[in-house]
Amino acid sequence: MVASRPNLELISQLTIRDGKVMDTTALQAILFDDWSEILRAAPLALSCLGECYVAASVPKSALIELEVPSSPYKHVRSNLVHCADLGRDAFQEAQSQMNKVQLATRFICEPQGLIEKILKGVENERLATTLVPKLLKQLEQMAKRCEDGTEVMDKKFKAWLENSQDILKACLSSKDNTTNALDENKSNLYDAIATKNSLVTETKKLEKAESKAQADLDKATAEMWKAYKSAKPSIKNSLVDLGEGTIRLTKHAINKTLDIAEEVAKNGFPQDFGIPRLVIREQQQQQASPASGPHQPQNFQVGEDIASFVLNTEVENQFSVLCGIVAQDGGMEDLLVNYRPAQSQLIEGVLRGLEVQLSQVPLVQSADSEVVAVREALASAVSITKEIQRAAEGMKKENKPKPEPQVSAGWKQNLGAALQNYGSHASQIRTRRQHSTVSSMGAQSGGEGISIAKQRMQRVEVSTRIKDMMQESYRLAQEKREKAKLDLLKAELRAKRLNDENLTLGEIIAILKDCLAALADLKKQIQKLSSFFTELHNVVKSLSEDKMAVFIMEVEAESPLEDIKYASHVLRINYAVTFELASMYVDVSKSQIMPGLDLLGTLSLMEHKSAGQKTLMGNYVQKALVDINGIADKRRNELRQALRIDIRGEAEEVF
């Protein structure tokens, strides 16, 4: 039973000619295989666009760069939105153009339409020359309008398809690149974590070393103050004793002067009167009665060669500090590897001081065993210090390799031995000098006090050097610990940065995977729609170029009326089927596609797409698929019935 719609009734009537069912096989190209399958691609494509909007709503999607040839945009978010805009524009254009095709085809084929008017005009001689040419021109315009409309739709969907393919390829390439970057990042992150853990251990070790250096410094400082407090009374007493001895010597000298004056008063001035005589007489008296004068300890006499050169205490202190630095665990290696300006100045100062002492003529020419030992110790210390200086500067300035461990160990051992020899023999020389000075003053009563004060001052001096050495060790320990903390902070920041990059790259890959899934399905659906509009355009174009041209040629050639009617019959049924197809799409578009576009528009305005919005889009798609199946299948079956495709039997092929 044929439906009651006028266009279907017209098609049903046109399929019967001369009592026979016409062969409408050629019209099946317009019907395609399955209208519902093709039109279901529209809501599915809209669903894919919704997925694109969901992927684009993730903030990091704005950071993913894409090189898409068919798009002016450079990031995932902007390209996905652009693709959705192309789809929206394509559907809206299809709605508009299908309306025009629907109106134009109905105007051509409907009862009392253009074709019927042309046939009536042909039958009237007066109208055949006046009205018919105008109607033919109008028919061509309507056909051109249909052809242009379908061409616009075809181009829109092809452009959309091309863009979706380009974005799909770009996302696939970006995913591969991001995966490679993620693998490299994981490797770097593993190394960074290992480095950080190593630096954590090293920092703890250096913190313990700093604490130990602090404790050693506190202990050395306490010892220094203890020695100073112990030496202070002895120094005071020795000064008092020294003053008393000086008074006694002065008193003795005055008495001797009075004796000489008395002798002069009695005997007058002798010819050889003078200081040398007085001294000779004094010496003779001392030899005659040793107990009458001050005691002079003979075993502490100091020769001129010992008394005339200088032993600089400040240089010895710097030398002790240098040896203390080298003597620490890792001290020599740290001095060589991290040769800082402070260490350079310390070494240069020690060298200058040692070389000045070593260059003194009395020190060079003396045969005294203590002096010879000091000279040898100084020469050894200068030689070793220069070797250390050359090695450190060579590593820093010329990138020379670090000396072998046994070489460094030898320097450390020999430098310590040189300091010990120098210190012990220099101390003995100083002791001899001090005792000689005390004995020459004749201050026997103050000698023991001065000796005790000297010993205690030496203890203060030694404890001060030790304190300075511990202070330098503490400073170096602080520097190492601060450097290790800085390195640890850098390692932690690098590990954090790499971990953040790792998470970001993982999120980017997840975004790209979602995009790829949506775009692959979108491409599939757009291909169906594009093929539909391409085929529609080809059919309409064929109508204009073939069947329309035949009809116009028959009319203009004033062919027999029967031939003109046959050509009009063929043209009319084709445009009637095209009208039915356009009407079917318009119905589907109004009821299903346009509401989907509106829903898609609300999704595009949302900054973040939740599961609720995705569910809303899913519900729309499910309902739209069911409704489209109903509309398309119903329209297709009605048209097939009107064309009598299933009941045509033996038919004459007229198309």
Side-chain angles (χ1 to χ4, degrees), residues 421-441:
N421 292 335
Y422 173 80
S424 62
H425 293 293
S427 176
Q428 293 179 16
I429 290 174
R430 290 193 184 97
T431 302
R432 289 168 62 185
R433 283 179 176 177
Q434 291 169 354
H435 279 286
S436 175
T437 302
V438 173
S439 62
S440 65
M441 293 175 63

Side-chain angles (χ1 to χ4, degrees), residues 322-338 340 343 388 408 412 473 476 480:
L322 175 62
C323 292
I325 293 174
V326 173
Q328 293 182 1
D329 291 339
M332 177 64 76
E333 181 178 1
D334 181 70
L335 179 64
L336 293 171
V337 175
N338 304 312
R340 294 177 292 274
Q343 296 172 329
I388 295 174
S408 300
K412 175 180 176 181
S473 299
L476 293 176
K480 290 181 180 179

Side-chain angles (χ1 to χ4, degrees), residues 78-92:
S78 54
N79 272 289
L80 291 177
V81 172
H82 177 61
C83 181
D85 291 342
L86 289 177
R88 184 196 311 276
D89 183 54
F91 280 120
Q92 289 175 343

Side-chain angles (χ1 to χ4, degrees), residues 349-468:
V350 171
L351 276 175
R352 283 196 301 269
L354 295 177
E355 288 175 340
V356 168
Q357 293 193 36
L358 188 60
S359 65
Q360 298 178 72
V361 175
L363 183 64
V364 175
Q365 296 178 352
S366 176
D368 187 272
S369 60
E370 298 291 347
V371 178
V372 171
V374 168
R375 184 170 65 237
E376 291 176 351
L378 283 172
S380 176
V382 169
S383 176
I384 297 169
T385 305
K386 285 184 176 180
E387 290 182 13
I388 295 174
Q389 185 185 40
R390 284 194 297 270
E393 290 181 348
M395 291 176 60
K396 182 177 181 180
K397 298 179 180 179
E398 303 175 15
N399 294 325
K400 291 185 177 180
K402 185 173 65 177
E404 296 294 332
Q406 56 268 27
V407 176
S408 300
W411 289 341
K412 175 180 176 181
Q413 182 178 357
N414 294 335
L415 197 61
L419 173 63
Q420 185 176 2
N421 292 335
Y422 173 80
S424 62
H425 293 293
S427 176
Q428 293 179 16
I429 290 174
R430 290 193 184 97
T431 302
R432 289 168 62 185
R433 283 179 176 177
Q434 291 169 354
H435 279 286
S436 175
T437 302
V438 173
S439 62
S440 65
M441 293 175 63
Q444 181 180 5
S445 61
E448 293 181 0
I450 292 174
S451 177
I452 293 172
K454 171 185 168 298
Q455 291 175 0
R456 293 183 178 178
M457 280 301 299
Q458 287 179 339
R459 188 179 303 165
V460 171
E461 198 173 312
V462 171
S463 62
T464 301
R465 289 200 302 270
I466 293 174
K467 190 269 294 182
D468 292 340

